[in-house]
Amino acid sequence: MTDRYTIGVDLGGTNLRVAAYAAGNSLLETISLPTRVEKGPDRVMDDMCAAIRELEKRHADGREFAGIGVGTPGPLELPEGKLHSLPNFPGWDGYPMLASLEGRLGQRVHLESDANVAALAEYHLGSGRSYGAASLCMLTLGTGVGNGIILNGHIWDGNNGMGGEAGHNTVYPEGIHCPCGNRGCLEQYASATALIHAAKIRYTGKRDPVPTSAAEIANLAREGDQDALEIFDGAGRALGISLATLINTLNLPLYVVGGGVAGAWDLFETAMMEEVHSRSYVFRFTEPSEEERRQRSPRKTSIVHAELGSEAGILGACLLPLVANGVAKSLGTIHSCAAPA
Ligand SMILES: [Zn+2]
């Protein structure tokens, strides 16, 4: 059988990454460019398409091209492929991204939100594979809180592409105002932005310099700093409250927490699990025993740290065309030698 390859794009607020992926094997090559957000969406699409054509040219030899997948920050309206107001992309509201890409490239493009493609990668190449789970729900803790739901191998897009926006589910009704218009969204308590904001409030006038990243706050917590420990405890509680709602609603075998903040899993796990346990009877009825935990039983409800690191977005984008064409399933095991352990 001729080797297949796909091209995937991970569009971020800072970096635009475009990669060629050999189906069933690994990332062949990644081009990383700055995202020229300030130049407007058309210029960024030009950059993206130039990199896609470049990779198509370099990797076509002896391989069958299986399509292009793109992961973009949401909210994204599907099937139209139209962007809505993006917090870090001023002037992009209403941009017809899918039509713009397909017009430039003259071929079909598979477009999804970044949190959905990260969940797809985790499903096929990470914890979804380890647990043999048919479905999963993933929360990605980054600049915001992304959410992707995979049901029986398919991304749950909902009616308008906006299924899986649990980052904006209410945790505290009278809580912090969110740019989405709501108050007390999960994103306001468990994203890196939220942790940095909380640190600024707690440390201004108390510690100089004030920590400016989630990793710095985590370092302080591990040194025993009480404020930092409380910040992560708060994030864990908000996550636990949200997960309890998701578990009661979906009853899936696997809930995955990924993104940069998930690196501080040890600092928020206890509070998160306390909340899940007390608020979700579905969880209590389906909680794995120690033995079932070791065996990674897909018949139970597991809440785990994502297995894929920062490559989840680009890998998921590369998988999109394979999943759409039913290839991913027939491959059986898709290996990911590019993903960090
Ligand atoms: Zn919100």
Side-chain angles (χ1 to χ4, degrees):
M1 189 179 100
T2 318
D3 286 347
R4 292 167 190 258
Y5 80 105
T6 64
I7 292 177
V9 180
D10 179 24
L11 173 64
T14 312
N15 292 310
L16 166 63
R17 298 195 305 152
V18 184
Y21 177 80
N25 190 6
S26 61
L27 290 176
L28 297 163
E29 184 184 354
T30 305
I31 295 175
S32 197
L33 305 164
T35 308
R36 300 193 293 167
V37 174
E38 70 291 348
K39 300 277 185 194
D42 278 323
R43 291 289 285 279
V44 174
M45 295 308 119
D46 286 342
D47 291 347
M48 192 186 289
C49 292
I52 290 170
R53 288 194 199 98
E54 184 63 36
L55 287 179
E56 236 183 304
K57 220 183 312 169
R58 279 190 226 164
H59 296 281
D61 196 25
R63 291 193 185 92
E64 183 191 335
F65 183 55
I68 298 165
V70 177
T72 174
L76 171 70
E77 187 171 343
L78 294 173
E80 295 83 354
K82 192 171 81 177
L83 295 175
H84 285 275
S85 181
L86 307 183
N88 301 317
F89 291 71
W92 287 51
D93 190 19
Y95 186 70
M97 189 169 172
L98 184 62
S100 167
L101 285 173
E102 291 186 337
R104 279 170 170 76
L105 295 164
Q107 59 181 301
R108 176 150 189 222
V109 172
H110 301 273
L111 182 63
E112 274 288 348
S113 79
D114 47 10
N116 284 354
V117 296
L120 188 70
E122 192 64 27
Y123 177 82
H124 282 288
L125 307 173
S127 54
R129 186 172 62 178
S130 305
Y131 280 76
S135 303
L136 65 75
C137 173
M138 179 165 170
L139 294 170
T140 302
L141 315 181
T143 309
V145 174
N147 174 219
I149 300 170
I150 309 293
L151 297 179
N152 296 319
H154 297 281
I155 292 172
W156 175 252
D157 280 321
N159 194 32
N160 301 97
M162 296 177 216
E165 289 289 337
H168 296 280
N169 282 357
T170 306
V171 177
Y172 300 112
E174 306 303 323
I176 301 169
H177 286 276
C178 182
C180 78
N182 186 23
R183 293 184 70 168
C185 293
L186 172 62
E187 181 164 298
Q188 297 305 317
Y189 300 90
S191 62
T193 313
L195 300 186
I196 293 162
H197 180 68
K200 196 173 167 193
I201 291 170
R202 283 173 179 261
Y203 291 119
T204 300
K206 197 169 168 185
R207 172 181 281 274
D208 191 33
V210 170
T212 53
S213 73
E216 283 175 48
I217 304 165
N219 287 339
L220 285 174
R222 292 196 182 100
E223 288 164 11
D225 181 279
Q226 199 54 37
D227 283 302
L229 287 167
E230 286 173 17
I231 288 171
F232 280 104
D233 188 83
R237 301 228 167 264
L239 274 169
I241 293 168
S242 296
L243 283 167
T245 304
L246 290 165
I247 292 166
N248 282 357
T249 310
L250 298 166
N251 184 209
L252 302 182
L254 190 59
Y255 298 81
V256 188
V257 182
V261 176
W265 177 267
D266 57 315
L267 297 169
F268 63 73
E269 183 188 9
T270 304
M272 176 180 77
M273 293 311 297
E274 273 174 19
E275 294 293 340
V276 169
H277 209 269
S278 67
R279 292 176 190 275
S280 170
Y281 73 69
V282 175
F283 181 75
R284 291 197 301 277
F285 289 148
T286 61
E287 187 178 5
S289 64
E290 272 309 315
E291 181 57 23
E292 287 162 337
R293 216 182 295 276
R294 270 194 298 276
Q295 290 174 354
R296 301 183 163 193
S297 168
R299 291 295 304 149
K300 297 293 175 170
T301 302
S302 297
I303 302 171
V304 302
H305 187 311
E307 288 182 16
L308 303 180
S310 56
E311 300 293 312
I314 193 84
L315 285 167
C318 292
L319 292 178
L320 274 177
L322 298 174
V323 172
N325 297 323
V327 179
K329 212 172 180 181
S330 67
L331 285 170
T333 53
I334 301 174
H335 304 289
S336 162
C337 43

